[in-house]
Amino acid sequence: YQVAVAVVDRMGVTQVMIRDRYAGPHTPSTARGKAWTAVSFRTNSGELARLTQAGKPQSGVRQLPGVVALGGGLMIEGGGSLLGGIGVSGGPGGEADEACAAAGIAAIKDSLEF
């Protein structure tokens, strides 16, 4: 997929941003927002999207500045701690973005368990 990928630290500060040259212009900010959302709420952004649908008690969360309640943002955990988050944007839907993010985490999983 032609995507952008953002990695944030546990405080939500962007540490890495990469973007395929053909990814849409909105993808860097969306990827960053997904990663920040996962870290900020300590919930993967796809799960937060389900929890905050219209009519749900937590639906107001979607109105907070910076929240991107779409699939594709995952927490990065290692050694029993939250280390940061990864967000992917540009795939054909949140499930594809989430699969890409999960593959990225899986590729470095051994390095995370220090």
Side-chain angles (χ1 to χ4, degrees):
Y1 305 122
Q2 297 162 338
V3 300
V5 179
V7 177
V8 301
D9 64 17
R10 72 177 118 212
M11 302 306 289
V13 177
T14 303
Q15 300 297 307
V16 176
M17 168 62 68
I18 56 175
R19 175 185 165 267
D20 183 274
R21 75 174 83 187
Y22 299 114
H26 66 285
T27 59
S29 61
T30 304
R32 185 174 30 256
K34 289 177 180 185
W36 179 88
T37 297
V39 167
S40 183
F41 292 93
R42 289 176 167 56
T43 304
N44 294 332
S45 63
E47 178 63 18
L48 190 70
R50 288 185 283 283
L51 294 171
T52 61
Q53 291 178 7
K56 301 262 184 169
Q58 297 179 7
S59 64
V61 166
R62 289 176 178 241
Q63 305 307 313
L64 296 173
V67 171
V68 178
L70 300 169
L74 300 179
M75 295 178 292
I76 302 172
E77 299 174 296
S81 297
L82 176 65
L83 303 176
I86 182 171
V88 176
S89 177
E95 290 179 4
D97 290 344
E98 190 165 312
C100 290
I105 293 171
I108 62 164
K109 189 68 173 169
D110 291 342
S111 299
L112 298 175
E113 298 298 330
F114 40 80

